Amino acid sequence: MNAASLRRPLGCLKTALRQARQQTRSYRLSKAQKARPVEPAPKTPQPAFFPIKDKHTPDKFRTGFAVYTTPTTVLPSLKLTHPHLKPPPPDPVAAHHAYQIKKMDPTGARTRLFSKTNPDSARVGDILLVTTKRAAEPFAGVCISIRRRGIESSILLRGQLTRVGVEMWFKVYSRNVTGIEIIKRAKKRARRARLTYMRKPKHDFGSVEQHVREWRRNRNVFASAAGKGKRKQKKRQSEW
């Protein structure tokens, strides 16, 4: 502490204490910043090698590491030994899907029904009728989504049962699905790939039973007309 600060009146006691604290702090910092001698790192002991005695020849010693020489003979290629094997496809997943589609749809009718290149294919907004093995009656509804995923392709139909909106997914290549028919096509092409807005009451299509009945009536008329034509042709052949 400075002697000059002690001669001042007691009012300057705070200043004297502040200066003393600053001097003490600076002294401690200067002492801590002094370079300390770095102790040398202890020497690591060198690894000792312990020989291993051989069981059969105890007089000889062998090391604990086995050294293998590179083989001189090279295995022949599979192309030479098995020429009948075909090379793997570049995309095995796509090849497997193509094989499954060919197995589940040998005629290719289901693939053409939802193909983008087919102008007469089913599109979003059309009314479809799906017949299955397990269900007693087919399910009809508006197609609001088409998911093209190879063998996992599926469609989403929205209809009504007892005035309640119902949505059902159907696998296109499933064995449970026996038939998919287009009841009525949309008036114009939809601007969206998924018509999820039809779930709102404002845009809900409602029941499609009326369209199904009309389609069945027209189909029966065409079937009866075709049957009459065949009968007339048979009569003419019998007369001749």
Side-chain angles (χ1 to χ4, degrees), residues 10 32 60 64 93 125 142 162 164 174 178 191 205 213 231:
L10 296 177
K60 297 181 180 180
V93 177
V142 183
T162 63
V164 178
S174 175
T178 57
R191 294 186 178 181
F205 193 84
R213 292 172 188 167
R231 292 171 188 172

Side-chain angles (χ1 to χ4, degrees), residues 55-111:
K55 295 181 181 179
H56 304 287
T57 55
D59 299 337
K60 297 181 180 180
F61 294 93
R62 60 185 179 88
T63 60
F65 303 95
V67 180
Y68 299 95
T69 58
T70 56
T72 56
T73 59
V74 181
L75 296 176
S77 176
L78 290 175
K79 294 181 180 180
L80 301 177
T81 57
H82 301 78
H84 61 280
L85 295 179
K86 296 181 180 180
D91 190 359
V93 177
H96 180 68
H97 281 189
Y99 170 75
Q100 291 291 335
I101 290 172
K102 186 177 180 181
K103 183 179 179 181
M104 302 300 294
D105 186 22
T107 59
R110 302 190 184 191
T111 305

Side-chain angles (χ1 to χ4, degrees), residues 172-238:
V172 176
Y173 298 101
S174 175
R175 293 183 178 179
N176 187 32
V177 177
T178 57
I180 302 175
E181 297 175 337
I182 301 176
I183 302 299
K184 185 179 180 181
R185 294 187 179 274
K187 295 182 180 179
K188 57 181 180 180
R189 180 177 175 274
R191 294 186 178 181
R192 300 183 183 181
R194 300 175 184 175
L195 307 182
T196 53
Y197 63 87
M198 297 185 69
R199 296 170 179 171
K200 298 181 180 180
K202 181 180 178 181
H203 304 284
D204 194 0
F205 193 84
S207 178
V208 296
E209 290 296 330
Q210 183 178 358
H211 300 283
V212 175
R213 292 172 188 167
E214 184 179 356
W215 173 77
R216 287 177 177 173
R217 192 183 305 112
N218 296 336
R219 185 184 62 174
N220 295 335
V221 169
F222 292 141
S224 60
K228 289 180 181 179
K230 290 182 180 179
R231 292 171 188 172
K232 290 181 180 180
Q233 188 176 2
K234 287 182 180 179
K235 287 183 180 180
R236 291 176 183 176
Q237 291 178 359
S238 61

Side-chain angles (χ1 to χ4, degrees), residues 110 113-114 128-131 155 170-172 177-182:
R110 302 190 184 191
L113 183 60
F114 296 98
L128 304 181
L129 180 70
V130 180
T131 308
I155 56 176
F170 293 97
K171 297 286 186 180
V172 176
V177 177
T178 57
I180 302 175
E181 297 175 337
I182 301 176

Side-chain angles (χ1 to χ4, degrees), residues 2-3 5 17 25-26 28 31 46 77 80 85 135 142 171:
N2 296 337
S5 61
L17 293 175
R25 191 181 297 110
S26 61
R28 290 178 180 176
K31 188 176 181 181
Q46 296 183 357
S77 176
L80 301 177
L85 295 179
V142 183
K171 297 286 186 180

